[in-house]
Amino acid sequence: MEEKTGTKTQGEKGEERERLEQQIRFIVEIDKVKNIFRQTYLADGKRKENDAEHSWHLAVMAVLLKEHMKEAVDVARVMTMVLIHDLVEIDAGDTYAYDDAGAKTKRERELKAADRIFGLLPEDQGRYFRELWDEFEEYQSADAKFAHLLDNFQPFLLNDASQGKSWEEHGVRKSQVCRRNERLPETSRIVWEKMLEVMDKHIEKGTLLGN
């Protein structure tokens, strides 16, 4: 019979400690996401943002832009979804939105990364994060659609604020931007209309190529 310590047995205390250790390993591991840099410049154009900055920005946007969505969404779920959606890039690296070659291996790289990174957590929490990540990738639920809108709209806004710097560097065309965002009109008409307005402005400036 196990000796009681307070209200918990020694076995229960051991399980609790191991659970905490797993959570700490995950917390320390995801610090690496701060070193994954994207192709998107900050609004001032001085440097490129990292994945941690990107995810934080999306979480704030989730609170602000909920009112513009066509379907009802759970903001807390969406915030968690966008905060974890790029953790796989710790292993898989960032794949630029318009990198067709990188896109061919992206899914395989990210699935392997998801198994390892979410597998660091206690089983229940790892399963919850993995299910949210899978839901985001499947792009079917209202929450996933909103998360994708945020994930696409944020770098779009930074491209605009930085005078189209990333678009110009990569020779991006309007048709590429439209193809990447082809499902956004079903999520929010007003956001899509704003994006079309911004794209036309940058075509006139020459920082975004026409079709």
Side-chain angles (χ1 to χ4, degrees), residues 21-131:
E21 292 299 331
Q22 288 178 293
Q23 292 163 334
I24 290 171
R25 282 195 291 272
F26 178 81
I27 291 166
V28 173
E29 180 67 15
I30 66 173
D31 183 69
K32 294 176 182 176
V33 85
K34 299 171 186 175
N35 288 317
I36 306 298
F37 284 86
R38 299 161 48 80
Q39 291 301 312
T40 308
Y41 285 91
L42 300 183
D44 63 11
K46 291 181 179 179
R47 68 165 175 86
K48 294 175 180 178
E49 69 171 355
N50 65 46
D51 272 352
E53 293 166 331
H54 169 67
S55 298
W56 158 80
H57 222 165
L58 302 189
V60 177
M61 289 170 63
V63 179
L64 299 176
L65 301 184
K66 175 188 175 183
E67 64 190 70
H68 300 302
M69 298 305 105
K70 289 184 178 180
E71 298 179 84
V73 294
D74 182 334
V75 171
R77 285 187 84 250
V78 173
M79 289 177 73
T80 306
M81 193 179 287
V82 298
L83 286 169
I84 67 167
H85 81 292
D86 275 342
L87 295 182
V88 294
E89 294 185 358
I90 291 170
D91 290 354
D94 175 61
T95 302
Y96 182 50
Y98 306 109
D99 177 4
D100 293 336
K104 293 177 182 178
T105 62
K106 178 182 177 183
R107 180 66 175 165
E108 181 182 353
R109 287 183 281 116
E110 292 190 347
L111 281 171
K112 185 177 179 180
D115 287 342
R116 185 190 75 80
I117 294 166
F118 298 132
L120 296 173
L121 282 164
E123 185 180 354
D124 61 319
Q125 291 183 323
R127 183 172 60 251
Y128 174 63
F129 276 9
R130 180 59 187 266
E131 287 173 355

Side-chain angles (χ1 to χ4, degrees), residues 120-178:
L120 296 173
L121 282 164
E123 185 180 354
D124 61 319
Q125 291 183 323
R127 183 172 60 251
Y128 174 63
F129 276 9
R130 180 59 187 266
E131 287 173 355
L132 277 182
W133 184 81
D134 285 336
E135 182 179 339
F136 174 83
E137 291 294 306
E138 289 163 6
Y139 203 158
Q140 295 298 319
S141 68
D143 288 350
K145 290 176 185 178
F146 186 24
H148 273 276
L149 179 141
L150 300 169
D151 193 33
N152 291 8
F153 194 36
Q154 185 261 2
F156 182 93
L157 292 175
L158 292 185
N159 267 310
D160 180 34
S162 60
Q163 308 306 313
K165 191 171 182 177
S166 182
W167 287 332
E168 190 170 25
E169 284 184 355
H170 292 276
V172 176
R173 296 183 173 276
K174 179 181 178 181
S175 59
Q176 291 176 283
V177 181
C178 289

